[in-house]
């Protein structure tokens, strides 16, 4: 079964594994409200990261919510809602 919460450190790790780190982007800084575009991640990088999240945590993320999850804060909120719903369904 998946973990309790998906944290910023988990997201940063997956971003680095799936798409590397953009030159000049400091993923160790205060990035919660920075857009993924400003951090150097395009839609393909986010698609790959999302695929890993879904596979690793056995959840399906809502495509409409994904369109609105353009910052790490929004993305984490969306993933954690999906994790909570998945646990509630068990």
């Amino acid at each position: 079964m998946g973990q309790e919460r998906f944290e910023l450190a988990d997201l940063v790790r997956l971003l680095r594994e799936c798409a590397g780190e953009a030159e000049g982007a400091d993923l160790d800084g205060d990035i919660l409200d920075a857009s993924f575009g400003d951090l150097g991640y395009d839609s393909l990088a986010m698609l790959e990261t999302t695929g890993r999240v879904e596979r690793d945590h056995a959840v399906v993320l809502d495509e409409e919510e994904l369109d609105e999850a353009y910052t790490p804060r929004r993305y984490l909120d969306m993933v954690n809602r999906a994790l909570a719903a998945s646990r509630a369904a068990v």
Side-chain angles (χ1 to χ4, degrees):
M1 194 75 187
Q3 66 192 50
E4 289 289 316
R5 290 196 47 84
F6 191 73
E7 303 290 341
L8 181 59
D10 301 315
L11 177 58
V12 167
R13 178 183 50 79
L14 277 182
L15 285 168
R16 286 178 171 148
E17 288 176 10
C18 293
E21 188 166 346
E23 198 169 313
D26 179 12
L27 296 182
D28 296 318
D30 181 16
I31 63 167
L32 276 175
D33 296 310
S35 74
F36 286 112
D38 288 346
L39 295 172
Y41 295 102
D42 61 11
S43 59
L44 185 58
M46 296 311 300
L47 185 64
E48 188 170 338
T49 301
T50 296
R52 282 280 305 276
V53 169
E54 290 180 329
R55 186 181 74 235
D56 292 354
H57 300 283
V59 296
V60 176
L61 301 176
D62 183 272
E63 287 184 37
E64 288 181 22
E65 279 191 86
L66 276 168
D67 290 341
E68 298 299 317
Y70 50 84
T71 67
R73 182 184 309 276
R74 287 177 177 238
Y75 193 88
L76 291 170
D77 288 346
M78 175 193 59
V79 171
N80 285 313
R81 279 193 307 276
L83 287 171
S86 175
R87 284 191 305 272
V90 174

